[in-house]
Amino acid sequence: DTGVSQDPRHKITKRGQNVTFRCDPISEHNRLYWYRQTLGQGPEFLTYFQNEAQLEKSRLLSDRFSAERPKGSFSTLEIQRTEQGDSAMYLCASTIDPPDEKLFFGSGTQLSVL
Amino acid sequence: DAKTTQPPSMDCAEGRAANLPCNHSTISGNEYVYWYRQIHSQGPQYIIHGLKNNETNEMASLIITEDRKSSTLILPHATLRDTAVYYCIVRVAYGSARQLTFGSGTQLTVLP
C-alpha cells in the first residue's frame, strides 16, 4: 500500500493557461474523490467517481473544470483558462466500497495562478 | 448532513491529554461522527468515527454524549507531531455515496 499519489505537488501557471493534475489512488480502491482547499478553510468536495463513472459533481465544478477516470484507475483533473480564483490546494482521496468509508487522501497539488 | 461547531483553536502541553470538543446538536439518528486531522502541507488523515458508543483506537478515543448532540476527541498523550487542524464531521451511515463536508476545524497546537 503506497498510499494516494498526486502529481505534481506544486504548479505555477499564468492566468488563462490550462493545467492538468493526476491522482493515483490506492490500487484496490474503486471510489475516487476530488476536493479543493483554500487557505484557512476545510476541503470542499468537487466530484466523485465510482470506478470509471463520474457519479456526482459539486456546483463548484464550473464548465472550465473536467475530471476523468479512464478504466477506473488513475484520475485527471483539468482546469481550462485558469483564473486567479482557482489558486488552491487540489486534493484527491480514495476509498473502497462499503463498509469501509474511511477516505485516504493524497498530499495534494498546490496551484498558484499568477 | 448535520452541521458541526468547533472552537477555532486550542493549545495543549506535550504529554498531556488533548480534549477537542465538537457540537452537532442537529445530528440525525443515522449519522455518524467522524474525525479527521490535517497536518500542515498534507492531506487530511482519518482518525476515528462512531455512532453512539464510545470508540477507541490506536490514535485516539471518541466520547459521544448520550443525547449525541456533542462529542469529544481525546488524544491521550499529545506529542508535537499531533499539531494539526482537527475536523469533526457528521454524515450519513455506511453505504452512502455522500461526500464528507468539512468545516473550518480546530487548530490544535501542542506546546513543548
Side-chain angles (χ1 to χ4, degrees), chain B residues 8-89:
Chain B
S9 64
M10 293 181 62
D11 293 339
C12 175
E14 188 177 19
R16 304 295 294 269
N19 296 280
L20 292 94
C22 179
N23 286 321
H24 31 80
S25 58
T26 60
I27 192 169
S28 300
N30 65 345
E31 288 182 315
Y32 283 68
V33 180
Y34 281 75
W35 284 84
Y36 280 74
R37 74 178 183 184
Q38 187 172 22
I39 295 170
H40 183 63
S41 297
Q42 297 182 21
Q45 176 191 24
Y46 166 85
I47 301 173
I48 198 167
H49 73 281
L51 182 61
K52 53 184 176 181
N53 297 321
N54 297 339
E55 302 287 344
T56 295
N57 63 19
E58 65 279 4
M59 291 183 68
S61 295
L62 173 60
I63 309 298
I64 303 174
T65 57
E66 191 170 344
D67 63 6
R68 302 185 69 240
K69 293 181 183 235
S70 65
S71 60
T72 301
L73 179 74
I74 301 173
L75 308 179
H77 305 287
T79 71
L80 298 179
R81 288 176 295 179
D82 292 321
T83 292
V85 177
Y86 287 77
Y87 297 100
C88 170
I89 301 161

Side-chain angles (χ1 to χ4, degrees), chain A residues 9 31 33 35 37 40-43 45 48 56 89 91 98-107, chain B residues 34 36 38 41-46 49 87 91 93-104:
Chain A
R9 286 297 311 274
R31 296 189 184 189
Y33 298 76
Y35 283 78
Q37 185 174 26
Q41 302 298 315
F45 169 77
Y48 150 65
E56 199 166 349
M89 173 76 80
L91 293 160
D100 188 348
E101 286 279 3
K102 293 181 287 188
L103 290 190
F104 295 82
F105 283 83
S107 295
Chain B
Y34 281 75
Y36 280 74
Q38 187 172 22
S41 297
Q42 297 182 21
Q45 176 191 24
Y46 166 85
H49 73 281
Y87 297 100
R91 59 162 292 176
Y94 289 129
S96 169
R98 294 286 301 278
Q99 67 278 13
L100 294 172
T101 302
F102 290 81
S104 298

